[in-house]
Amino acid sequence: MIGRITFKELRNAWKVILVICMVTLIYSVGMPTIFPLYRSSIAEELEGASKVQITLPNETHSYVTLSWEALENSTSYIVLEDNRSMMLTAEIKYEGNETSITFEKDFTEKRYYAVMATIEGASEPSLIGIATTEKSDPFKELLDNPVYRSFAGGRSISMLEVKGFITMEFFILWTMLAGMFIAYLSVSILAGDFENRHMDIWLSKPITRRRYLAEKFAAMTTISLIVSITAAIGLIAGLASINSLNELSAYATLISVMAGLPTLMVIAAVGTLSAVSFQKVRAGMGISFAFVFAQLFLRTFGSFSKDLELMKIVSVFTYWDYTAAIFDTTFNAGDFTLLIVVSLLIIAAAIWIFKKKDIPT
Amino acid sequence: MKIVIGLGKTDIAMEIENLTKMYGNHVGVKNLNLTVYRSEIMGFLGPNGAGKTTTIRCCLDLIAKTEGRITIFGLDSSKDAIAIQKRTGYLPGDFGLPPAKVRSFLGYLLSLSGCDSTRKMNELAERLDLDVERRTNELSKGNRVKVGIVQALMADPELIIIDEPSGLDPIVGLEFRRIMREEKRQGKTIFLSSHDLSEVETVCDRVAIIKKGQLRVVERIQALQEKTGKVLEVEFADRFDLKEFQIDGVRGIQQENNRITMTIHQNLNRTIQALSGHRIVNMSLKSYSLENLFLKYYSKEAGGGAQHDR
């Protein structure tokens, strides 16, 4: 008899589960397959960055010089100062094949420059390259941004490698998407029973409120497992399609996704708790979604500095360390167990509240 | 005052003692005492908002009691809820059905009740003309009530609690009453909440009347009928004398032109004999409505204790 409610919930929700799995599959297979295109486009940009050399002021002078190789068919060049959206008016010097522009550095902030060439017969100017006054690689600079680093587990990663791409492009959205799916389902399958007045019939049968809730949570855990396995399978299939399983193994991919299972269980438990507390789909959903977003923000802001580390510690997403799985093929069983215990404690609280509250008519 | 004649504790199916349920400052039920005996059909009457559903939901532990004690088959309604639910069937007054095929939904509930046999489920569905192959979200209000009745009775419970079964068409309503009487003959106890006196009159052995959260009276149905009487309205084509109808057990005679209205408690035969000497244009005999019942007999008892009879 145990498990009947779980089984029934899974049967009832099969259409929603199917849709979620389809979306998951499209996303997880699709993401690695666009990597080659992404890599070539980034490489092109980086190449562009190296085409313009920048000479910064030193002890002897206070000028900035941008230099680049002249293009054969160009008629003139435009140098844009990006963060002020204006064109530099200094004179461009032509010395054989070498072209340069020099201007005084009368500012302290970081500025970006883009050199463009007007080509004979072309309607629009072409980008030759870009440069900044502080770093030569703006992409590296972007990846060093604390927000990005929070998603990369504090690592400096390269977007030119499949590991870096999956970490940054797949997992940033996936953590949020999976969290939202589970928050939505956990609230709707439970609060729906209150709102649609099913509860009187369910609870007039010989089942305890504890069993009813525990089996609903078991259904949510099963759905989390199905969605995670689907994502892992999709990701592995996508990596295989671009022959990248030698760079990121199937095992590392699998554990990077499955490490999120207890995080999803905590979200499902919070959804369950808010559903029994408010007994309304809309209120429960609001609380659950707010929880998911708040947890993501806590993880992100907690990574900004050591002073904010406490924020990071209380975020469940911190313990979904997909970067450790991807880069080191390691899996933290302690964190995994801790989150399962946390989810069970939240469910125990939900059962306690459920037992105390009247069933609304 | 509670009068129980010649019956022991083992004959009691359900006993409610000093039940109080408060919703904040609002009284749901106050200090209610009621005993339902095995193998009887107890009607539970009251206007909307009287506290009928609150009482029933306390019995089934769907809502917590503020005070008091409820025992069903000698078991505590809160502590032994599961043991009670195994022996109880419940038709809620207002309920929704999850989207599913009726047969699969009922089968699922049957499995939750720990019952393997679908015999009674099929038998009830057939008698109530319920198509179990349809989906629940395609059903009319009446058909949804039929699903509710089947799920309440299909596991063959000893106690059946029914909360205002409305929406059935007259033919199915008659069949349902027949089913209730059969269940009683098989030794089942039925606690039927209703605001329809005529429905209660036709099936119940006793009736408890509740108003504003307080139990006003518990009566055998026959005694209640004698007290309330029937309202006879007659329209004459010829002349008549009111003295002709001054018969023992006939009260409240009122005349309006060629029409008279009277309440008959006893001696219906003698009244008909008196009428037989006249040419009659129209005549109707009906039960008192619950509202009239309260006005006529129980308004004076408001705030007082309930009368119990067995």
Side-chain angles (χ1 to χ4, degrees), chain A residues 70-259:
Chain A
L71 291 184
E72 271 183 24
N73 50 353
S74 71
T75 52
S76 62
Y77 298 96
I78 303 164
V79 181
L80 294 172
E81 199 169 36
D82 190 48
N83 52 347
R84 290 198 299 166
S85 298
M86 60 179 288
M87 223 164 78
L88 285 184
T89 51
E91 189 188 349
I92 294 172
K93 289 180 186 165
Y94 302 90
E95 289 169 12
N97 209 23
E98 197 64 28
T99 317
S100 64
I101 186 167
T102 300
F103 49 92
E104 189 162 9
K105 188 177 184 296
D106 52 359
F107 52 86
T108 52
E109 78 277 9
K110 179 166 52 177
R111 288 189 183 176
Y112 294 87
Y113 298 96
V115 179
M116 306 182 84
T118 49
I119 312 287
E120 204 174 337
S123 59
E124 286 177 7
S126 301
L127 178 73
I128 289 180
I130 54 176
T132 78
T133 52
E134 285 185 13
K135 292 200 179 185
S136 58
D137 183 350
F139 296 98
K140 188 174 182 313
E141 186 189 342
L142 181 72
L143 294 174
D144 284 341
N145 183 302
V147 177
Y148 276 83
R149 285 179 71 90
S150 73
F151 289 102
R155 294 159 198 267
S156 288
I157 59 172
S158 168
M159 295 289 280
L160 289 171
E161 290 173 23
V162 74
K163 287 180 178 178
F165 176 79
I166 294 299
T167 303
M168 301 306 291
E169 298 296 329
F170 176 81
F171 275 103
I172 286 179
L173 195 58
W174 175 243
T175 48
M176 193 167 71
L177 265 182
M180 302 283 278
F181 285 156
I182 299 305
Y184 164 78
L185 273 179
S186 60
V187 173
S188 60
I189 69 167
L190 189 57
D193 274 354
F194 287 106
E195 273 196 5
N196 299 321
R197 295 166 287 114
H198 301 157
M199 227 35 134
D200 269 29
I201 287 185
W202 297 147
L203 296 181
S204 69
K205 303 300 168 197
I207 48 168
T208 59
R209 294 191 190 195
R210 182 177 56 195
R211 183 186 152 196
Y212 169 85
L213 220 56
E215 288 214 28
K216 288 264 183 180
F217 180 64
M220 283 314 307
T221 303
T222 311
I223 292 171
S224 304
L225 187 67
I226 292 169
V227 171
S228 297
I229 289 172
T230 307
I233 290 171
L235 209 48
I236 292 166
L239 289 167
S241 75
I242 56 164
N243 300 317
S244 291
L245 282 176
N246 52 342
E247 288 178 62
L248 177 55
S249 72
Y251 175 69
T253 309
L254 180 72
I255 59 170
S256 68
V257 178
M258 298 313 289

Side-chain angles (χ1 to χ4, degrees), chain B residues 96-111:
Chain B
L97 298 173
K101 201 179 251 193
V102 172
R103 183 185 293 284
S104 121
F105 172 67
L106 292 173
Y108 171 60
L109 292 179
L110 209 51
S111 71

Side-chain angles (χ1 to χ4, degrees), chain B residues 117-153:
Chain B
S117 170
T118 55
R119 185 192 57 80
K120 192 161 183 181
M121 176 185 103
N122 293 328
E123 185 190 304
L124 285 164
E126 201 177 319
R127 288 184 68 175
L128 294 170
D129 195 23
L130 172 67
D131 182 357
V132 291
E133 299 308 322
R134 291 184 69 187
R135 289 190 64 78
T136 52
N137 46 352
E138 295 166 356
L139 299 178
S140 64
K141 158 84 174 149
N143 278 317
R144 283 205 300 274
V145 175
K146 289 179 193 173
V147 175
I149 294 169
V150 174
Q151 67 79 29
L153 273 66

